[in-house]
Amino acid sequence: MTKEDQNSSSSVELKAKTAFDEINKRAKNQPAIVKKIGAIVLFDITKDGKFQQSWTIDGKQGIIYEGKPNEGATAQVTITLDDNDFFDLALGNANAPALFAKGKLKVKGNVMLAQKLSILFKEQSKL
Amino acid sequence: MAALKPLLDAECGTTNPLIKLSQFYTRDNTLVTQDGLIKPATNNFTNANLTGGSNATIDELVNEYHRPIAAPNTFHLEGLLTGLRLADDTIDNTNKHEYEWTTQFLDSLTNDFSSFSTNTKTNNNFSSSMIHPLSNQQIQTSQNIINDFNIQQQQSQWMPWNEQTYIPSTSTFPLNSNSTFLDQQSSTVDTGFDNDTVKAAQNIFALLQETQFAADSEFKDFVENVAGGIGEKSTVDAKKQEATGETKDVTVDKWINEFSNDLSNESEWQHDWAADAANLSSLDDQIPRSQSWLRHLMDNDDSYSEYKFSKTNVFLDHSNPFEEGLKRLQAHDIVNAVLLFEAAVQKQSNHVEAWLYLGITQSENEQDGPAICALKKCVELDPKNLQAYITLASCYANEMLTNEALDSLRKWLANNDKYSHLLSNRRSQTTTNEPRLIDELVFEELQELFLQAVSLSTNPNDIDSDLQVCLGVLFHLPGDYDKAAECFNTAVLAKPDDALLWNKLGAALANGGQSEKAVDAYYHALTLSPGFVRARYNLGISCFNLSAYKQAVEHFLTALKQQSDGIGPQGTHVQMSENIWRTLAIAIGHLQRPDLEQSVGKKDLSKLLHEFKIE
């Protein structure tokens, strides 16, 4: 698995890859979950300030893949954050608003759409 | 003198430390006078900040709306940046505004200190009393203003209910915190400002030179830069967006085009910007903007249009299922209540109350899908049913259907005799009949309306708990869990015996990461209503988040057992919640018991119950 990664992304190992694999696993258990996001979200993962790799969460098609959005799809939200922070976020150890407030997470686009991502990261308690 | 300066000087938009100190003192007094009626029945929420805070909050809210916006001191930065932005615009009112804000700025500098502090006192009550991540920043005197302001603006994306929005926006100072929707990044692209802006900045700079107000701050540097013709244009853009956010789409479009044309350099920022503009104008594939929201609604309509009844319902032949249902509900037997209400509506399909209660109980039963179906039927029959709308809002919020949740909240307001006039007042400003395209606009508008509604009650002891719930759900939508929890807490103070409210409080706390407090709230809910499946499920989730996996599993299993008890012991067509099974699977995964994972896969409930010794 790692060898492939080093070919496709830059030669830096990203925790984000592991995280996205986990998310995909979870999504498989719950097919409708990605569609619940309903929008196309682009994650730009950086490391030490430099851009490393993108992942696209396509809430319309219900798929998650590495790289920028495919042909014909435009991201409605773009989130930029560091690899480590993303890992914390994905584990549910950090939450997006807090990261945002600390300036660690940058959002471009419809913020409320971005909020929906939390269902991918941890179990939501129900009102 | 220099040593005292940090102590006495106020940073723009904040209050000086000495005044802050006195605030705490005066605030405490407020707490005491309201003490008798506000102290909750149990002691786990004696966190003075949480309870007193919310009352002081409401108080302050009321005051905000009653007090004339005298000193624009707190508007400083916005005014300046608005001025900069307006100066930048090619819209006609350039000159008028330039003078206006200059005058205001000058006025503000000569305002006496006490008015400044009273205004900001209000603001700071929020930052000091609430669980506010930036409260520390605001207290530090050396914090540079721009950062403060930027963070406030950006932070407000996630927590829109920040101090600035309490002050009713005037036409000159649009205070909506939507500022950086389209471009959150404060990129340091050096795009040139045009002459007007530079002139304006030079004006400000001159003023700053004369006063010790923002002497060594970065704000001054910023202005200096702008005066010199360079600087962070993105901040200005942020204000630009903010200004036009409230006006109609046409203006936004025009502005976007204007803006795209104005840019002279080919930086990546511009490319992204144009891309965003394109996004904005074609939200949903090729569907015209005004319809994309509608289509989203329609898409979801299909999944909630028909209620799917339980296949085996022992109560179908019951003589008076509705009455019996109510009794079971009273006895906290949620699951059987569900079945009884199902029977009731099957007997009489236009029974409004039966549909309503079916919806409510299904929601308590951790089945939001059926709940939404039932509630939609209810409002079809009775479009003024407030309880249905408020429950719908919670259900939609749980399902992440933001637009629908906002729509339900709006309908609650519109059909509520106490507050509907607020909506009609608003109608004169913008045409609210057509569906709004972007979540945030609707959200901001609703937020303002609800806050106005809260401020209507002059008596701090008269808490409209339903209103608080609506406000709580509203804040929950963009992830502002702390504020949501505050609202639910206030609601609970008014109705401490309402298990549903305790559960909502717990959920908001849990989603905000406060798992221990959440557990406490859930215990309250379950003590009041032991058959409350959802609360038990939530409790399991919080245990999970606290890494108490075995306990989590036990709670999930108990919940599932309660659900399966609803139908006869054979239970082949048991309507158990998929959510609970799914989360159970994840929890069991953490227990390192592959043998159990198989049982979960097969949904072999009895085996699992036996394994964990649950009767």
Side-chain angles (χ1 to χ4, degrees), chain B residues 40-52:
Chain B
T42 64
N43 278 332
N44 283 315
F45 280 95
T46 47
N47 176 356
N49 280 344
L50 200 56
T51 53

Side-chain angles (χ1 to χ4, degrees), chain A residues 26 30 36 60 74-76 97 100 107-112 115-116 118-119 123-127, chain B residues 154 158 181 184 272 276 279 283 366 398 400 402 440 477-478 481 503 507 510-511 534 538 582 586:
Chain A
R26 170 176 271 182
Q30 222 194 341
K36 273 212 179 136
K60 305 232 168 108
T74 351
Q76 285 149 289
F100 184 80
V107 184
K108 245 201 305 182
N110 193 330
V111 170
M112 291 188 85
Q115 173 49 30
K116 296 191 186 185
S118 47
I119 54 172
E123 292 303 318
Q124 287 292 99
S125 300
K126 308 281 180 168
L127 291 174
Chain B
Q154 289 171 352
W158 298 99
F181 285 147
Q184 291 276 356
D272 286 346
D276 279 349
N279 278 343
L283 261 183
E366 188 50 47
N398 285 333
M400 293 281 172
T402 326
E440 289 98 341
L477 291 170
Y481 301 122
N503 176 64
N511 286 329
R534 165 157 282 173
N538 279 338
R582 187 182 43 81
I586 299 174

Side-chain angles (χ1 to χ4, degrees), chain B residues 405-551:
Chain B
L406 291 170
D407 185 59
S408 299
L409 287 173
R410 167 187 284 276
K411 290 202 172 112
W412 182 87
L413 205 59
N415 289 297
N416 190 326
D417 296 328
K418 282 207 278 186
Y419 309 117
S420 50
H421 64 277
L422 294 171
L423 260 176
S424 38
N425 287 347
R426 206 164 168 87
R427 227 159 265 255
S428 53
Q429 292 178 33
T430 48
T431 53
T432 47
N433 275 324
E434 56 178 68
R436 297 295 206 119
L437 352 143
I438 312 171
D439 288 339
E440 289 98 341
L441 292 177
V442 185
F443 178 85
E444 282 292 327
E445 194 206 356
L446 273 180
Q447 183 184 281
E448 218 177 290
L449 286 169
F450 276 107
L451 291 176
Q452 282 176 3
V454 170
S455 67
L456 282 181
S457 92
T458 46
N459 182 358
N461 301 326
D462 169 30
I463 301 172
D464 182 348
S465 64
D466 280 348
L467 182 61
Q468 290 294 331
V469 168
C470 285
L471 205 50
V473 174
L474 187 65
F475 289 132
H476 197 271
L477 291 170
D480 203 343
Y481 301 122
D482 292 342
K483 293 209 174 81
E486 284 241 3
C487 295
F488 293 134
N489 191 54
T490 310
V492 142
L493 291 175
K495 285 195 190 170
D497 290 333
D498 189 334
L500 298 183
L501 295 180
W502 281 106
N503 176 64
K504 289 189 162 69
L505 174 57
L509 288 166
N511 286 329
Q514 301 193 66
S515 295
E516 286 110 346
K517 283 196 185 158
V519 167
D520 193 72
Y522 296 137
Y523 271 118
H524 278 288
L526 288 168
T527 313
L528 290 165
S529 176
F532 195 168
V533 174
R534 165 157 282 173
R536 199 165 295 273
Y537 172 60
N538 279 338
L539 180 55
I541 292 178
S542 285
C543 289
F544 181 89
N545 287 336
L546 290 167
S547 302
Y549 301 119
K550 180 160 178 286
Q551 272 185 296

Side-chain angles (χ1 to χ4, degrees), chain B residues 280-488:
Chain B
L280 197 62
S281 50
S282 59
L283 261 183
D284 229 325
D285 300 317
Q286 298 304 321
I287 295 206
R289 294 169 78 187
S290 61
Q291 287 180 25
S292 65
W293 181 85
L294 204 54
R295 190 188 65 170
H296 181 57
L297 246 193
M298 278 158 34
D299 280 344
N300 287 304
D301 236 48
D302 295 334
S303 40
Y304 296 118
S305 50
E306 281 313 312
Y307 188 93
K308 294 186 184 68
F309 292 99
S310 305
K311 294 201 180 118
T312 53
N313 187 343
V314 296
F315 298 114
L316 276 175
D317 293 322
H318 199 283
S319 52
N320 195 346
F322 181 68
E323 289 301 324
E324 186 62 30
L326 289 175
K327 280 195 217 154
R328 295 296 180 110
L329 195 55
Q330 276 283 70
H332 309 295
D333 180 4
I334 307 256
V335 179
N336 280 316
V338 167
L339 291 171
L340 283 161
F341 291 128
E342 277 191 7
V345 300
Q346 282 173 298
K347 242 185 158 80
Q348 190 194 340
S349 60
N350 62 356
H351 195 332
V352 172
E353 286 233 278
W355 282 116
L356 173 67
Y357 276 98
L358 180 54
I360 294 175
T361 42
Q362 279 288 41
S363 172
E364 288 183 46
N365 190 28
E366 188 50 47
Q367 298 274 29
D368 275 328
I372 293 175
C373 285
L375 291 166
K376 281 175 68 153
K377 274 273 176 343
C378 173
V379 298
E380 233 176 74
L381 296 164
D382 176 13
K384 281 183 85 73
N385 197 310
L386 295 181
Q387 227 185 334
Y389 287 128
I390 209 175
T391 317
L392 265 175
S394 311
C395 293
Y396 281 135
N398 285 333
E399 294 289 297
M400 293 281 172
L401 293 167
T402 326
N403 277 335
E404 289 78 354
L406 291 170
D407 185 59
S408 299
L409 287 173
R410 167 187 284 276
K411 290 202 172 112
W412 182 87
L413 205 59
N415 289 297
N416 190 326
D417 296 328
K418 282 207 278 186
Y419 309 117
S420 50
H421 64 277
L422 294 171
L423 260 176
S424 38
N425 287 347
R426 206 164 168 87
R427 227 159 265 255
S428 53
Q429 292 178 33
T430 48
T431 53
T432 47
N433 275 324
E434 56 178 68
R436 297 295 206 119
L437 352 143
I438 312 171
D439 288 339
E440 289 98 341
L441 292 177
V442 185
F443 178 85
E444 282 292 327
E445 194 206 356
L446 273 180
Q447 183 184 281
E448 218 177 290
L449 286 169
F450 276 107
L451 291 176
Q452 282 176 3
V454 170
S455 67
L456 282 181
S457 92
T458 46
N459 182 358
N461 301 326
D462 169 30
I463 301 172
D464 182 348
S465 64
D466 280 348
L467 182 61
Q468 290 294 331
V469 168
C470 285
L471 205 50
V473 174
L474 187 65
F475 289 132
H476 197 271
L477 291 170
D480 203 343
Y481 301 122
D482 292 342
K483 293 209 174 81
E486 284 241 3
C487 295
F488 293 134

Side-chain angles (χ1 to χ4, degrees), chain A residues 4 15 23 37 45 58 65 70 105:
Chain A
E4 272 174 27
K15 289 188 190 170
I23 294 173
I37 298 176
I45 306 295
D58 191 333
Y65 52 86
N70 290 337
L105 184 152

